[in-house]
Amino acid sequence: MYRAIIIFLLCGTVFLAAACGKKDKTGKESGREPAQTQPAATESAVSSGAAAGDSLEEQSSYFAEQIAAGMMDRVWEHFTESLAGQMPIDILQASWDSVVAGAAGYQGVESAQGSESGGMRVVLVTLRYAGNQGKTIRFVYNEQGEIAGIWFDTVTLERAATGESVAAVSDYEETEFTVGKEPWLLSGRLTLPVGQEKPPVVILLGDGTDVDMDGTVGAAGNKPLRDLAQGLGAQGIASLRYSMRGCEYRDALPKDSGIYDLLLEDTGCAVAGLYNDQRIDRERIYIAAMGNSAAYVPAMVADKPNRIAGAVLMGAKPVFFSQTFYAKKTEEQKTVVSDPKYFIDKNSTFPLLLIQGEADVETDMDDFEQWKALWKGRAHTTYRSFDKLNHYLMPATGAAGRADYDKKGSVNPAVIQTIAGWIQEQR
């Protein structure tokens, strides 16, 4: 089988501390500048802050939502001087990460209950995650209304009644879903929101052609595709993820297998399978691809132009790709092309969301800016970048190269909320 390939770039309980006092408003304590580790969305819609006159419960709910989104600085600036000195932002972030590890599908504030203890005001905020998981944040305030103490904990919540939860649905369920054709059938998993008929669905593609259905990466076994699937499911959006052909048939693939065999053909089968599935809305099938897979989204859309409603590109490079091959059945020579410039010229109103981690060392902000220049003036294209997030949209550790992924982490909830909100807007 002849192949010509051309690729080039177009351009548990955690006790933190309780203390009194007031910190220097410059953010410095004992000559130290606290690390800024919050993965804030540069353009993502978030609350601008608790309004003047809000109750302590409302203010605490706002603070809890900022913590859930990884925006620690918006909370830390309200710490007393003593607490800020004991608890720099990087330690605050690490403590929260250890409590929230493994939780997915952030759904919002479940409750906020105030009380008094030893002359201090205490507010316990409970956050709901998918699978009836709960995380609590206990805020202790001094007389000046500053945060003098903070605790994180994990709880199990009762199932939320439909319509009573902050999220569109209270939970999700997963079922097996086979993708592909003989002899290359692939194991997949369809995640469906509970209590919602015919939801929109997203096909989740990992960074490369040899990853498993969860997109597992790093020594810690991080699973960004699973995080996305469960997080989106908790917000009313179905998803399909599956093991790539290069993963499931690693030792059986022909040596001349190209990108059509390893990615594009199976993606087309996934679209077709969902289009004929009565459980989802066939008019709202989306692609969400990471890294290398994202570079080929133009070719995926060109293959199924009337069946894909929009696409999300995460950590993608603007790449032109052309591959010529002989079809096995017809012996006809065919060529697949992925050309982002030609694609957007012919599909100027096709909905696109580009997401970039600003701490991504594999696809950097220059690539992100190239996308903006390439698609300048095109409608229905949204760009979002997230501070302190790496290639897999998890908190960056600062480690060099792929060693950054060896620390346990999960996709930041603000990213999932951005994708979910964008999909809902498309309706």
Side-chain angles (χ1 to χ4, degrees):
M1 184 180 296
Y2 168 78
R3 298 185 183 277
I5 301 177
I6 305 172
I7 300 179
F8 62 86
L9 293 183
L10 290 172
C11 319
T13 303
V14 173
F15 164 72
L16 299 184
C20 299
K22 188 175 183 179
K23 70 175 178 300
D24 183 351
K25 293 303 181 183
T26 64
K28 296 181 180 180
E29 175 70 25
S30 303
R32 294 186 300 171
E33 182 73 26
Q36 302 294 312
T37 62
Q38 71 284 2
T42 300
E43 299 179 68
S44 180
V46 293
S47 172
S48 61
D54 281 353
S55 70
L56 212 53
E57 287 78 7
E58 292 171 324
Q59 178 176 300
S60 299
S61 296
Y62 165 75
F63 288 153
E65 288 182 320
Q66 302 313 299
I67 290 174
M71 300 178 185
M72 298 297 170
D73 61 334
R74 299 187 180 185
V75 180
W76 186 85
E77 65 185 11
H78 294 275
F79 279 15
T80 61
E81 180 181 2
S82 180
L83 180 58
Q86 297 175 47
M87 190 58 53
I89 293 179
D90 55 346
I91 302 301
L92 181 67
Q93 180 73 62
S95 299
W96 174 249
D97 288 344
S98 69
V99 170
V100 81
Y106 173 63
Q107 298 180 4
V109 174
E110 179 79 3
S111 63
Q113 299 177 331
S115 62
E116 291 190 11
S117 178
M120 308 283 273
R121 287 294 309 278
V122 179
V123 179
L124 180 67
V125 179
T126 301
L127 304 177
R128 178 177 285 274
Y129 287 78
N132 300 319
Q133 297 183 73
K135 306 297 176 182
T136 63
I137 306 177
R138 186 184 302 273
F139 298 94
V140 178
Y141 296 91
N142 63 14
E143 293 181 352
Q144 289 73 41
E146 298 170 309
I147 300 173
I150 187 169
W151 287 260
F152 301 146
D153 203 354
T154 297
V155 297
T156 300
L157 303 176
E158 294 183 1
R159 184 181 179 89
T162 301
E164 294 180 1
S165 175
V166 175
V169 295
S170 62
D171 211 344
Y172 60 87
E173 61 183 10
E174 295 191 326
T175 183
E176 293 182 359
F177 193 103
T178 301
V179 173
K181 302 175 182 178
E182 294 283 3
W184 312 113
L185 297 178
L186 306 176
S187 302
R189 189 161 295 163
L190 181 64
T191 304
L192 293 165
V194 173
Q196 182 168 334
E197 294 185 3
K198 293 189 176 298
V201 64
V202 182
I203 298 173
L204 300 172
L205 301 174
D207 182 18
T209 59
D210 60 352
V211 297
D212 64 16
M213 70 175 68
D214 292 330
T216 305
V217 63
N222 295 309
K223 301 180 182 299
L225 296 189
R226 183 199 63 184
D227 295 342
L228 287 168
Q230 296 178 353
L232 292 171
Q235 298 195 43
I237 297 170
S239 65
L240 172 62
R241 65 193 194 275
Y242 54 90
S243 295
M244 297 291 191
R245 195 182 297 190
C247 172
E248 197 138 317
Y249 297 96
R250 191 183 308 273
D251 299 325
L253 289 171
K255 292 183 179 180
D256 60 356
S257 296
I259 201 67
Y260 178 79
D261 308 286
L262 299 175
L263 178 64
L264 301 180
E265 184 177 29
D266 295 326
T267 303
C269 290
V271 172
L274 290 172
Y275 190 80
N276 294 312
D277 193 303
Q278 298 301 312
R279 292 171 292 183
I280 60 93
D281 185 348
R282 67 193 301 178
E283 302 298 326
R284 302 179 69 194
I285 299 175
Y286 297 85
I287 298 284
M290 280 188 161
N292 290 330
S293 293
Y296 305 110
V297 164
M300 299 173 196
V301 176
D303 183 52
K304 302 288 184 182
N306 299 319
R307 294 189 177 183
I308 301 177
V312 181
L313 283 65
M314 298 172 280
K317 289 181 179 292
V319 171
F320 173 88
F321 169 85
S322 177
Q323 182 183 79
T324 300
F325 65 100
Y326 286 104
K328 297 181 180 68
K329 291 184 178 181
T330 64
E331 292 299 323
E332 295 177 350
Q333 181 172 300
K334 294 185 177 182
T335 301
V336 293
V337 177
S338 187
D339 183 347
K341 182 65 169 65
Y342 178 81
F343 166 77
I344 204 66
D345 286 343
K346 296 298 182 181
N347 302 275
S348 61
T349 61
F350 182 80
L352 289 160
L353 170 63
L354 275 75
I355 290 179
Q356 176 70 34
E358 295 181 11
D360 187 341
V361 296
E362 298 186 48
T363 303
D364 58 30
M365 291 299 293
D366 286 341
D367 295 311
F368 189 61
E369 293 303 319
Q370 286 183 37
W371 282 112
K372 292 182 178 181
L374 184 67
W375 289 349
K376 184 178 180 180
R378 300 300 179 181
H380 304 284
T381 303
T382 303
Y383 303 90
R384 296 286 185 267
S385 66
F386 291 81
D387 186 29
K388 307 296 183 182
L389 296 188
N390 63 25
H391 188 62
Y392 294 96
L393 303 171
M394 302 180 297
T397 67
R402 297 187 69 83
D404 187 49
Y405 317 136
D406 292 337
K407 180 182 177 181
K408 190 67 178 177
S410 58
V411 175
N412 186 261
V415 173
I416 298 173
Q417 291 168 15
T418 296
I419 296 173
W422 178 82
I423 290 174
Q424 298 293 8
E425 288 173 2
Q426 305 313 308
R427 101 171 49 183

